[in-house]
Amino acid sequence: MYLRTLRVMIAVGIYLAADGMAGLGQTGVHDPPYRHGYYLFLAGTPNGCEDCYVPLVLTRKSIEDLKKNPTADDCVLLTTFERDSIWHYHGLVRIGQSEINEAERKVRISNKTYRYQEIAASEVLSLLENPLGKIAISRPYLPAKFPAGPELKQLIADFKTLK
């Protein structure tokens, strides 16, 4: 009985230690915080009210720095409604050099091309802290198409350091 209890305690200890390391990279350092927010405006002709739903991408590096880096980066993709509220949290999308046209300030995500415009950290923080906004809208369930991203509370913590 004593050995069984000891094994369970060791297993729980290993599980808790591994869980505590979940947000750490191989070097034992937390992933860099998200620091930049960009509204994405459809470069083509919108279908219906498609331009009412404005995507917001959050990045760790500026889009200009992403263009210089040969390695693609995971970025958080959200869709806002009229830039007032978060309509849908999509998760992580990878953005690399080939998706960015810095001269035209365009980025390609999910087979669509957008013009990007950086916004202030305070505006990103306002959306993250008040995701329902002021305009009452319906938010239907949408299945996940992308890998899950960080929780809103982590993104809020990241952007609060910039205030």
Side-chain angles (χ1 to χ4, degrees):
M1 182 69 172
Y2 174 74
L3 237 51
R4 177 182 276 170
T5 304
L6 182 60
R7 281 189 216 147
V8 169
M9 289 175 61
I10 290 171
V12 168
I14 291 170
Y15 172 77
L16 291 175
D19 190 45
M21 299 291 282
L24 302 177
Q26 290 179 352
T27 60
V29 178
H30 287 283
D31 287 333
Y34 288 89
R35 299 194 167 282
H36 302 272
Y38 296 89
Y39 279 130
L40 305 177
F41 301 98
L42 198 58
T45 305
N47 294 325
C49 194
E50 191 174 22
D51 58 347
C52 299
Y53 298 91
V54 180
L56 172 66
V57 69
L58 306 178
T59 64
R60 292 182 173 105
K61 302 173 192 164
S62 69
I63 287 182
E64 291 77 13
D65 286 343
L66 289 175
K67 179 66 177 172
K68 296 173 190 169
N69 193 341
T71 306
D73 202 13
D74 287 332
C75 304
V76 174
L77 179 64
L78 306 159
T79 296
T80 70
F81 179 73
E82 296 283 346
R83 294 180 280 172
D84 171 70
S85 62
I86 297 174
W87 183 72
H88 184 63
Y89 185 140
H90 297 280
L92 297 176
V93 294
R94 292 193 68 77
I95 299 177
Q97 289 178 328
S98 63
E99 287 85 29
I100 301 168
N101 181 334
E102 192 176 356
E104 295 181 16
R105 297 191 56 79
K106 291 182 180 177
V107 62
R108 187 159 181 79
I109 298 175
S110 295
N111 298 320
K112 291 186 180 183
T113 302
Y114 299 94
R115 291 176 291 107
Y116 61 87
Q117 175 186 347
E118 188 161 16
I119 61 173
S122 59
E123 191 170 350
V124 173
L125 201 51
S126 176
L127 274 168
L128 296 174
E129 291 180 325
N130 305 299
L132 298 180
K134 297 176 182 139
I135 303 170
I137 60 168
S138 174
R139 290 175 176 83
Y141 170 76
L142 297 172
K145 293 181 180 177
F146 301 109
E151 294 182 18
L152 285 182
K153 67 181 180 180
Q154 181 58 53
L155 293 170
I156 290 169
D158 287 356
F159 279 91
K160 276 192 174 184
T161 64
L162 302 175
K163 276 184 94 175

